[in-house]
Amino acid sequence: MKNLILASGSPRRRELMSQVGLDFTVVTSDADENIKEMEPEDYVRELSSIKAQSVLEQYTDKEDAVIVIGADTIVYHKGEILTKPKDEEDAFRILKSLEGEIHQVYTGVTICSAHKNVSFYEKTDVWVYDMTDEEIRDYINTGEPMDKAGAYGIQGKFAAYIKGIEGDYNNVVGLPVARLVHELKVF
């Protein structure tokens, strides 16, 4: 396979790609990620495309030899796109809105090369147990929610509050790797 590049600094995405045996390098995107709000599936596909294209542009001399993967994950709840929290109070607001409720996690993925571009998304429903304000604050004090969409990581301490999911677990972690592997075969 051509040189595979992950256009993401996410350690979780790196772990997931390594877990399934993909050989890749990481080149983070410095693209402007401010886009207008839209439907969640379009939002994540657009951001994943922006990231992937930004990194692909760095390889103009060798563009035939690379395949770039961009990804973006958001939490969607009651009509609001929830990205990473701005600060601890924002994390509290987000987690308070999710506790005792169901929400959706969307991850958009773009695979691109000099001659081809494919984007897709996965959606997973997540149910969260009721939480007290103290439990929310204790979780925020771990520092874990600050770099994660929706202010939580299902693979970390927040697992204690996940009542159930319907869909791809790895999508909630940040990358639907089984779908990615399938799409790479077709690509």
Side-chain angles (χ1 to χ4, degrees):
M1 183 180 285
K2 295 181 179 183
N3 291 327
L4 199 58
I5 298 169
L6 173 62
S8 171
S10 166
R12 291 157 295 282
R13 290 190 182 114
R14 286 194 305 259
E15 288 169 15
L16 288 168
M17 286 182 61
S18 294
Q19 176 184 323
V20 295
L22 293 174
D23 185 23
F24 63 97
T25 56
V26 173
V27 178
T28 56
S29 165
D30 59 358
D32 180 9
E33 295 182 20
N34 290 320
I35 62 171
K36 64 179 175 123
E37 290 227 1
M38 51 185 78
E39 292 301 311
E41 60 272 14
D42 297 329
Y43 183 89
V44 293
R45 279 194 307 234
E46 178 72 15
L47 275 178
S48 72
S49 179
I50 288 170
K51 291 174 181 180
Q53 292 295 330
S54 169
V55 169
L56 182 63
E57 288 170 7
Q58 298 175 32
Y59 291 86
T60 53
D61 296 346
K62 311 173 238 173
E63 56 187 20
D64 287 337
V66 299
I67 296 173
V68 179
I69 299 167
D72 193 75
T73 302
I74 55 113
V75 169
Y76 188 71
H77 182 59
K78 294 185 177 177
E80 183 182 5
I81 291 174
L82 304 172
T83 56
K84 296 174 185 175
K86 296 173 189 70
D87 54 32
E88 289 184 358
E89 283 312 304
D90 193 35
F92 183 86
R93 176 192 67 81
I94 291 169
L95 292 168
K96 188 70 177 166
S97 75
L98 297 179
E99 65 99 6
E101 299 271 339
I102 181 176
H103 63 272
Q104 291 71 44
V105 175
Y106 288 82
T107 299
V109 179
T110 296
I111 306 167
C112 64
S113 68
H115 306 290
K116 195 170 183 182
N117 188 328
V118 174
S119 290
F120 63 90
Y121 76 94
E122 286 292 324
K123 178 185 92 164
T124 303
D125 290 328
V126 180
W127 287 264
V128 178
Y129 279 110
D130 289 331
M131 300 172 70
T132 66
D133 287 0
E134 182 180 0
E135 288 171 324
I136 294 171
R137 294 236 181 257
D138 286 347
Y139 177 63
I140 292 168
N141 287 336
T142 68
E144 193 175 279
M146 301 316 295
D147 70 337
K148 295 173 182 65
Y152 75 89
I154 194 170
Q155 73 284 2
K157 293 176 177 22
F158 201 76
Y161 302 106
I162 300 297
K163 190 173 187 178
I165 70 167
E166 184 175 317
D168 184 343
Y169 170 84
N170 290 322
N171 183 54
V172 183
V173 176
L175 190 65
V177 285
R179 173 91 184 263
L180 173 62
V181 168
H182 171 76
E183 295 289 343
L184 282 170
K185 285 181 197 174
V186 174
F187 192 85

